[in-house]
Amino acid sequence: MIDLQVRTELGEMVARGDRGFDWTREFIDLDRSAYPLLSGVCAYLDTVFNQRQVPMLVDELDRLPDGSVLSEESRGEIRRLCAMVRERSHHYLWFVGD
């Protein structure tokens, strides 16, 4: 399970996702050339996206085929947290692995 958090540059957690998501085979097999940010997420490590990267991450979410890789609920939660990062300086979206 991968959890979602928004943290400040000092590491203080300011928001937590209502839901995480499973790291499925579909997620692992994402095409790196089409989804460079999403394909870099790993279930065993933390992955961090900054304010400049979150618009690209949202673009990748929007291009995912419907009903595959991530549920609509998980996609919505990632978008919500991306919006928080975009609105605040020195905030980061964390995908927290096990």
Side-chain angles (χ1 to χ4, degrees), residues 56-95:
M56 294 180 281
L57 180 63
V58 170
D59 179 60
E60 288 184 21
L61 288 173
D62 292 344
R63 290 187 286 109
L64 285 173
D66 289 338
S68 69
V69 183
L70 293 168
S71 69
E72 284 303 316
E73 293 86 4
S74 293
R75 292 179 199 200
E77 193 62 13
I78 295 168
R79 285 185 186 99
R80 179 181 76 82
L81 296 173
C82 282
M84 290 180 68
V85 171
R86 290 170 80 173
E87 294 168 358
R88 302 173 182 180
S89 296
H90 308 292
H91 282 69
Y92 302 87
L93 175 62
W94 285 62
F95 286 67

Side-chain angles (χ1 to χ4, degrees), residues 4 8 10 13 19 21 26-27 29 36 44 51 57 59-60 65 69 73 79 84 90 92 95:
L4 303 165
T8 67
L10 299 176
M13 185 175 50
R19 59 180 308 126
F21 61 90
E26 286 181 308
F27 202 90
D29 291 339
Y44 309 109
Q51 192 176 40
L57 180 63
D59 179 60
E60 288 184 21
V69 183
E73 293 86 4
R79 285 185 186 99
M84 290 180 68
H90 308 292
Y92 302 87
F95 286 67

Side-chain angles (χ1 to χ4, degrees), residues 1-8 15 21 23 27 30 32 35-51 53-54 57 60 78 81-82 85 91-98:
M1 175 69 69
I2 296 175
D3 292 317
L4 303 165
Q5 299 175 358
V6 173
R7 297 184 189 178
T8 67
F21 61 90
W23 201 56
F27 202 90
L30 280 172
R32 288 187 170 280
Y35 303 100
L37 298 178
L38 285 171
S39 67
V41 174
C42 178
Y44 309 109
L45 305 168
D46 295 343
T47 307
V48 181
F49 296 103
N50 65 37
Q51 192 176 40
Q53 292 169 313
V54 294
L57 180 63
E60 288 184 21
I78 295 168
L81 296 173
C82 282
V85 171
H91 282 69
Y92 302 87
L93 175 62
W94 285 62
F95 286 67
V96 182
D98 290 336

